[in-house]
Amino acid sequence: MSRASIFDLLHQRQQDAAPVVEKTTARSDYLTDRLLLIDGVALTPAGFVARGVLPEAVPPVLSESLYGPDGYRLLVHPITDVMPLEDNRLKRLEHKAHRLNALVQTLMVEALIMLEALPEAAGFDLVLTLPLRSPQAGEIMLAQAREAIMETQYGDRLEGARLVPCQGELHDQMAVSEAGGAPRVLWLSADSLLNDDDVGRLNARGVLGRSSKGPGLHPGEAVSALLLQRVLPEDVPFDRGWLIGTATTRAHARRSDQRDYPRREKLLALLGEAWPDTAADPEPTGESMSLPNAPARLVVDSLTLPGRAVEAGGALMARWEMLDLIDDGIGVDVHGGWPGEAMSALQLVLAMASLEEGDSALVLEIAAETQSRALVLRACAGPTALANQL
């Protein structure tokens, strides 16, 4: 797809006139424990994901080129409709970078369309999280993403562009330096495990799903784009979008060394911390006042690893009897394979996809042996909700 076609597609979209505001100067005093999720899109092996668009889960297929240590072909989750690109520089620097670049460029038009939500003349930053060993490959991909933006009507509003490590908390990844940054961020995240190196890493961890044995993770890939807003102390209450606070994280003994009941009880306690029971508190205060009795949507990173479905299903049923993990939840690895370092961004898009205005969601990470995390997407509902949260 040519750059001209990207430019034309962006202009084909009709948008309501937004009030004219001055371009925001960079600031560094954003709240470190708040982000606002405005919009998000993703491309997965199951298909395109966006607000109101959630494809059905897809089964894995036998790889033509990847084999497990048992000599059998691996079951994998590839994205089939990817923009064809040829960049010999990336192939020479790091072959995986070529695939990641194709994924990013495939989603670029939809990512840029989200910028229509920006107030007129408002600036934004570009952040890329890509699991690359080669710094040079990362710089090439960042430059190409920046070039795609610069050739649209949003080019003069791009204030900063940088690569950030895949590891770490979301709020740390979106944080600004002392020099500051723009309030809004276009975040692109991609990973692909359809290569021998990443297959070897999954096998070394003992979690690789093989066609000749029991449960495990099937290598997949994903690319996501999210439009976020850094929150300032004086920001007026938001009447739409989802506020994301810091995750509730707990370390514990290895899951494989525990029986089902203790694992369920530990996860149940984590759910109680992340999503307080306002009905049981006669005078709820702070963040608990803005949460409904239960999430409208659940997203769990893994349900295929041994014991995870029982652990998650038991804890969620004990916490919210009316919720069903099948009807109200998504297991990312079941939906379209294991997306590696693209998991965090993809979970947010999957959670947001089925939400109505005013609905909140819960994101769970339970794939790790010795750690569990819960992240809440709290719907904004006008002045009262935000006032109670800050």
Side-chain angles (χ1 to χ4, degrees):
M1 182 179 292
S2 68
R3 298 299 184 199
S5 63
I6 292 177
F7 186 83
D8 293 340
L9 278 171
L10 289 172
H11 276 79
Q12 288 171 11
R13 294 281 295 266
Q14 299 296 318
Q15 55 182 315
D16 297 331
V20 177
V21 297
E22 293 184 3
K23 185 173 179 179
T24 307
T25 56
R27 291 182 58 170
S28 60
D29 58 337
Y30 300 104
L31 299 177
T32 59
D33 61 349
R34 290 290 185 279
L35 286 168
L36 178 70
L37 174 58
I38 301 172
D39 202 357
V41 293
L43 186 62
T44 76
F48 177 72
V49 184
R51 286 289 310 280
V53 180
L54 183 63
E56 295 291 331
V58 293
V61 298
L62 283 174
S63 173
E64 296 294 332
S65 58
L66 295 173
Y67 293 82
D70 53 9
Y72 289 91
R73 288 192 295 168
L74 287 175
L75 289 167
V76 298
H77 284 269
I79 297 176
T80 56
D81 189 13
V82 177
M83 180 183 296
L85 293 177
E86 285 298 329
D87 193 325
N88 291 327
R89 296 175 302 166
L90 289 176
K91 286 183 177 179
R92 287 194 300 268
L93 289 168
E94 184 176 346
H95 196 272
K96 179 174 178 174
H98 185 266
R99 180 64 177 180
L100 297 187
N101 196 37
L103 293 173
V104 169
Q105 294 299 325
T106 301
L107 194 64
M108 186 59 71
V109 170
E110 296 293 341
L112 296 179
I113 287 174
M114 290 194 301
L115 297 178
E116 292 178 357
L118 296 177
E120 187 173 346
F124 66 98
D125 290 337
L126 172 66
V127 171
L128 264 64
T129 54
L130 304 166
L132 296 172
R133 296 190 305 270
S134 168
Q136 295 89 343
E139 290 299 329
I140 290 173
M141 291 186 60
L142 181 64
Q144 291 187 0
R146 186 177 184 276
E147 178 186 353
I149 296 172
M150 295 303 294
E151 294 185 5
T152 70
Q153 69 267 39
Y154 304 108
D156 60 350
R157 293 197 252 167
L158 178 60
E159 297 188 17
R162 61 191 177 95
L163 291 162
V164 300
C166 293
Q167 293 74 27
E169 297 289 336
L170 169 64
H171 298 76
D172 294 334
Q173 292 174 322
M174 298 301 121
V176 298
S177 66
E178 292 182 359
R184 295 164 186 86
V185 183
L186 179 62
W187 176 31
L188 296 172
S189 172
D191 197 5
S192 174
L193 307 188
L194 305 184
N195 58 79
D196 289 327
D197 288 344
D198 283 314
V199 166
R201 293 187 185 95
L202 290 178
N203 184 57
R205 291 170 50 198
V207 297
L208 179 65
R210 308 180 197 174
S211 56
S212 63
K213 60 178 295 186
L217 302 178
H218 297 138
E221 52 188 355
V223 55
S224 301
L226 296 97
L227 186 60
L228 301 167
Q229 182 167 336
R230 299 170 175 134
V231 179
L232 289 164
E234 72 273 16
D235 271 340
V236 297
F238 303 106
D239 59 3
R240 63 180 57 190
W242 294 269
L243 280 169
I244 305 175
T246 53
T248 304
T249 304
R250 293 293 176 266
H252 47 72
R254 290 176 57 84
R255 283 187 159 87
S256 56
D257 295 336
Q258 301 180 57
R259 294 184 179 273
D260 290 344
Y261 182 78
R263 289 208 312 262
R264 192 201 75 168
E265 291 302 295
K266 287 183 174 64
L267 184 57
L268 183 59
L270 176 67
L271 295 178
E273 291 184 56
W275 199 290
D277 187 358
T278 55
D281 187 350
E283 297 182 359
T285 58
E287 293 183 346
S288 62
M289 293 185 66
S290 65
L291 283 174
N293 292 331
R297 198 65 174 166
L298 308 164
V299 179
V300 186
D301 57 351
S302 175
L303 294 177
T304 61
L305 287 174
R308 298 318 194 271
V310 173
E311 177 184 352
L316 290 167
M317 184 176 297
R319 182 68 178 83
W320 298 291
E321 292 183 1
M322 74 293 293
L323 285 184
D324 185 275
L325 188 55
I326 303 300
D327 295 335
D328 303 307
I330 298 176
V332 179
D333 57 347
V334 176
H335 193 76
W338 186 255
E341 298 294 346
M343 174 65 78
S344 296
L346 178 59
Q347 281 188 289
L348 295 178
V349 179
L350 289 172
M352 181 202 67
S354 299
L355 294 179
E356 302 290 340
E357 292 293 339
D359 285 344
S360 298
L362 178 67
V363 170
L364 286 179
E365 296 181 9
I366 58 173
E369 274 285 311
T370 60
Q371 180 176 282
S372 301
R373 297 177 73 248
L375 191 69
V376 175
L377 275 68
R378 185 174 292 102
C380 296
T384 303
L386 187 64
N388 289 330
Q389 295 172 45
L390 295 181

